[in-house]
Amino acid sequence: MTSRKTSQTMKPATAAKKLNVYLPATPEEFREGVVSRDELNALQSDPPQWLQDLRRDGPHPRQVVAARLGVSLSGLARGGVTDPLTTEEITALKAEMPEWLQRERATQAEVRRKAARLKERDAGR
């Protein structure tokens, strides 16, 4: 009795999250099917043109927008940004630097400083 190894699959939403892309912007054939672990690995190691374009130009999911702006997801929500943004829109926001973005970036910097200080303190124990 030998067991056949079956390929692990995931929903397109999970695969899009792992690829850091906005699911509604992906091609229909990606959204309609399931993605195997091997297909995901292939997409990560040798991304097709549509994936390269999405990663470069967007629209980007919220976690990518937050990372590119240097704020938390909560900070993004407090700033009123609830929709995915393109790279161009993110660049424009950085150039404009509204008050909420300055405030959230300062908050995020303080959180990082505090985390580094705690890590340093704990390493000394």
Side-chain angles (χ1 to χ4, degrees):
M1 230 172 154
T2 59
S3 61
R4 249 179 49 185
K5 187 174 180 176
T6 58
S7 182
Q8 184 181 20
T9 60
M10 63 192 81
K11 294 178 182 176
T14 304
K17 192 170 192 174
K18 289 180 182 283
L19 292 169
N20 280 330
V21 294
Y22 183 56
L23 181 62
T26 61
E28 188 173 337
E29 58 270 9
F30 181 84
R31 284 178 280 159
E32 297 299 319
V34 293
V35 180
S36 72
R37 175 67 63 187
D38 293 334
E39 290 170 333
L40 179 68
N41 291 338
L43 286 170
Q44 289 173 325
S45 64
D46 186 23
Q49 190 61 46
W50 65 264
L51 183 54
Q52 292 175 29
D53 293 344
L54 266 180
R55 286 179 170 168
R56 183 183 58 247
D57 303 326
H60 303 288
R62 291 188 42 205
Q63 69 267 18
V64 173
V65 173
R68 288 188 177 192
L69 290 174
V71 300
S72 66
L73 285 171
S74 301
L76 205 59
R78 283 190 294 269
V81 179
T82 56
D83 296 328
L85 299 178
T86 63
T87 300
E88 189 176 298
E89 293 168 326
I90 293 169
T91 304
L93 256 178
K94 282 180 174 179
E96 182 183 315
M97 197 58 81
E99 182 187 329
W100 71 266
L101 183 55
Q102 293 174 24
R103 186 176 55 250
E104 293 301 334
R105 286 180 112 175
T107 301
Q108 190 69 10
E110 182 58 34
V111 167
R112 287 187 185 123
R113 275 194 295 278
K114 189 179 282 187
R117 193 170 56 243
L118 291 174
K119 185 176 180 180
E120 188 178 298
R121 182 198 70 188
D122 292 345
R125 291 183 178 181

